[in-house]
């Protein structure tokens, strides 16, 4: 017994002599997901998803990149916007940067009082304006790239002001090419009556004089003769055009004039001289119509000639707050004449009170 116990205790249980379940040259296989079969299956799945996803209605907000309700307006085109907003094949257009949103709201209140606001299309010159207008009034603002840098109100004569206004004829030409009638308004204007009854006949381009001297009530509707600078003095603030070859020719010529006379520190150009040169150089090929002064007076007449205002009372249709420079000065003058409507009538705007 003792000898048996001694033998057991002395046995060698080293791994070399211990029987193994696996051969000595066996290696445990590594797990490899990226086999040829798995890669083919993955590629097939991606192809199927690529085909099906565009047809699947994903609930808004389900995916993180859909959480911004404004993102859809980045892909909103001028063609889309015009088709959505136009009435009777006509658009009322104004170009706006964020600093001028209060003026836009003031203009919209006056247009809404004439029941014409639903055909207003705002061309936003920055994304802040695009988002804010469409948030409150979906579909009524569009941005035509590239967006301008959002900044404070540009002073008349500055390069920023030129860059802003120089885009105008291109916007208008694009709308004409889409086949729409278009009325352009600067945002520092106010409607006192409906202007559409004054767009008589089938002329190509309608516009208003920017001269402050008084014309007779039965004045000519032809393009005025050139002034001291060799061109007429028509305001580019209010234009109505039909989608005719003549109107398109004027816009193309306006674009050419602006390219030929860009802004410089010496000249400090703006878009209006180019418009006047374009009208004068195309006058023989285009049917032009000067609107009546009593209905469409320049600010240099309406705000500076009280006698004339009394004599023409009841005839005024659109008032332009020009012949004054400065954002706050324009607001003050509108207030002084009871034309700053946003103070007490903001709820009448389709944008509400900003």
């Amino acid at each position: 017994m003792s000898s048996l116990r001694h033998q057991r205790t002395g046995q060698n249980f080293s791994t070399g002599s211990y029987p193994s379940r696996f051969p000595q040259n066996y290696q445990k296989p590594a797990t490899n997901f990226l086999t040829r079969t798995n890669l083919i299956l993955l590629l097939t799945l991606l192809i199927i998803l690529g085909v099906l996803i565009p047809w699947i209605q994903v609930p808004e907000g389900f995916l993180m990149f859909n959480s911004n309700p404004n993102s859809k307006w980045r892909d909103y085109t001028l063609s889309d916007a015009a088709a959505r907003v136009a009435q009777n094949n006509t658009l009322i257009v104004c170009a706006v940067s964020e600093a001028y949103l209060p003026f836009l709201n003031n203009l919209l209140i006056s247009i809404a009082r004439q029941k014409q606001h639903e055909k207003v299309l705002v061309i936003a010159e920055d994304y802040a304006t695009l988002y804010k207008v469409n948030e409150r009034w979906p579909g009524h603002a569009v941005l035509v790239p590239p967006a301008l840098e959002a900044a404070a109100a540009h002073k008349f004569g500055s390069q920023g002001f030129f860059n802003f206004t120089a885009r105008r004829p291109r916007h208008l030409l694009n709308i004409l090419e889409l086949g729409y009638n278009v009325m352009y308004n600067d945002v520092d204007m106010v409607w006192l009556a409906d202007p559409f009854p004054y767009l008589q006949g089938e002329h190509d381009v309608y516009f208003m004089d920017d001269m402050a001297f008084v014309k007779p009530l039965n004045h000519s509707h032809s393009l005025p003769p050139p002034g001291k600078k060799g061109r007429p003095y028509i305001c580019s603030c209010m234009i109505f055009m039909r989608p005719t070859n003549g109107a398109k020719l004027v816009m193309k010529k306006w674009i050419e004039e602006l390219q030929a006379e860009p802004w410089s520190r010496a000249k400090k150009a703006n878009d209006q001289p180019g418009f006047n040169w374009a009208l004068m150089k195309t006058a023989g090929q285009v049917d032009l119509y000067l609107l009546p002064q009593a209905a469409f007076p320049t600010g240099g007449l309406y705000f500076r000639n009280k006698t004339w205002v009394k004599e023409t009372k009841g005839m005024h249709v659109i008032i332009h707050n020009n012949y004054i420079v400065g954002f706050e000065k324009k607001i003050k003058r509108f207030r002084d004449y009871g034309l700053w409507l946003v103070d007490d009538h903001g709820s009448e705007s389709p944008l509400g009170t900003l």
Side-chain angles (χ1 to χ4, degrees):
M1 183 74 175
S2 59
S3 61
L4 179 63
R5 184 182 300 122
H6 176 77
Q7 290 176 2
R8 288 178 179 173
T9 306
Q11 285 180 358
N12 186 358
F13 292 97
S14 65
T15 56
S17 61
Y18 192 82
S20 173
R21 294 181 302 164
F22 305 104
Q24 290 187 0
N25 61 349
Y26 176 82
Q27 292 184 356
K28 188 177 180 180
T31 302
N32 185 7
F33 177 77
L34 296 177
T35 64
R36 181 177 180 181
T37 302
N38 288 343
L39 286 173
I40 293 174
L41 289 173
L42 180 60
L43 180 60
T44 303
L45 179 60
L46 291 174
I47 293 173
I48 293 172
L49 289 175
V51 172
L52 292 180
I53 282 178
W55 300 96
I56 298 175
Q57 295 295 324
V58 180
E60 186 173 355
F62 182 76
L63 300 175
M64 290 187 66
F65 53 76
N66 283 336
S67 61
N68 182 2
N70 290 322
S71 60
K72 63 182 178 181
W73 299 119
R74 283 181 172 264
D75 299 322
Y76 191 50
T77 66
L78 182 61
S79 178
D80 294 334
R84 178 170 178 166
V85 174
Q87 295 186 355
N88 298 322
N89 205 51
T90 300
L91 292 164
I92 301 168
V93 170
C94 46
V96 186
S97 61
E98 186 179 16
Y100 281 93
L101 281 173
F103 283 93
L104 170 65
N105 222 22
N106 197 65
L107 174 62
L108 286 175
I109 294 169
S110 70
I111 296 176
R113 290 180 173 183
Q114 306 304 323
K115 312 299 183 185
Q116 297 285 2
H117 59 289
E118 290 299 340
K119 57 171 69 82
V120 172
L121 178 60
V122 177
I123 297 183
E125 296 291 6
D126 51 63
Y127 284 107
T129 302
L130 175 72
Y131 296 154
K132 186 167 291 187
V133 173
N134 281 335
E135 178 185 2
R136 293 169 174 255
W137 199 21
H140 281 267
V142 64
L143 188 147
V144 180
L148 295 179
E149 181 181 355
H154 293 296
K155 184 178 178 181
F156 180 83
S158 67
Q159 184 173 8
F161 185 84
F162 177 83
N163 293 342
F164 175 79
T165 58
R167 290 159 59 94
R168 184 185 316 175
R170 176 63 63 184
H171 294 326
L172 297 177
L173 177 60
N174 289 339
I175 292 171
L176 293 173
E177 295 285 5
L178 290 171
Y180 296 97
N181 304 311
V182 57
M183 175 184 287
Y184 174 81
N185 278 187
D186 275 356
V187 291
D188 60 341
M189 305 186 92
V190 170
W191 287 24
L192 302 183
D194 187 348
F196 285 96
Y198 293 81
L199 306 176
Q200 302 173 0
E202 294 293 327
H203 308 286
D204 295 323
V205 185
Y206 300 71
F207 42 81
M208 55 183 279
D209 205 333
D210 207 19
M211 295 297 290
F213 68 82
V214 176
K215 295 175 178 287
L217 293 178
N218 61 345
H219 67 75
S220 169
H221 297 288
S222 300
L223 181 69
K228 294 180 180 179
K229 295 184 178 181
R231 53 173 171 77
Y233 204 61
I234 298 300
C235 191
S236 58
C237 57
M238 190 280 177
I239 309 167
F240 179 80
M241 293 178 288
R242 306 188 191 280
T244 61
N245 290 333
K248 296 172 189 177
L249 178 62
V250 172
M251 293 301 100
K252 291 174 183 177
K253 192 63 181 177
W254 189 3
I255 294 169
E256 291 177 8
E257 292 295 328
L258 292 175
Q259 292 172 341
E261 291 290 339
W263 186 91
S264 67
R265 292 187 179 277
K267 292 187 176 181
K268 296 183 178 181
N270 62 79
D271 69 303
Q272 188 159 298
F275 180 55
N276 279 269
W277 285 117
L279 290 173
M280 192 175 74
K281 292 179 180 181
T282 60
Q285 308 167 64
V286 183
D287 187 353
L288 305 175
Y289 186 85
L290 177 66
L291 292 163
Q293 184 187 55
F296 302 87
T298 182
L301 179 58
Y302 183 85
F303 293 109
R304 296 180 180 181
N305 192 328
K306 295 181 179 180
T307 301
W308 179 86
V309 170
K310 290 180 180 179
E311 292 174 349
T312 56
K313 185 177 180 179
M315 299 182 187
H316 314 135
V317 176
I318 295 181
I319 306 301
H320 187 203
N321 195 357
N322 63 342
Y323 276 77
I324 190 171
V325 177
F327 190 87
E328 296 299 333
K329 290 180 180 179
K330 285 178 179 282
I331 293 177
K332 182 181 184 303
R333 186 160 74 172
F334 263 158
R335 280 199 176 111
D336 291 343
Y337 283 78
L339 298 175
W340 190 244
L341 308 175
V342 296
D343 285 341
D344 301 317
H345 306 281
S347 61
E348 296 181 37
S349 168
L351 298 180
T353 302
L354 294 177

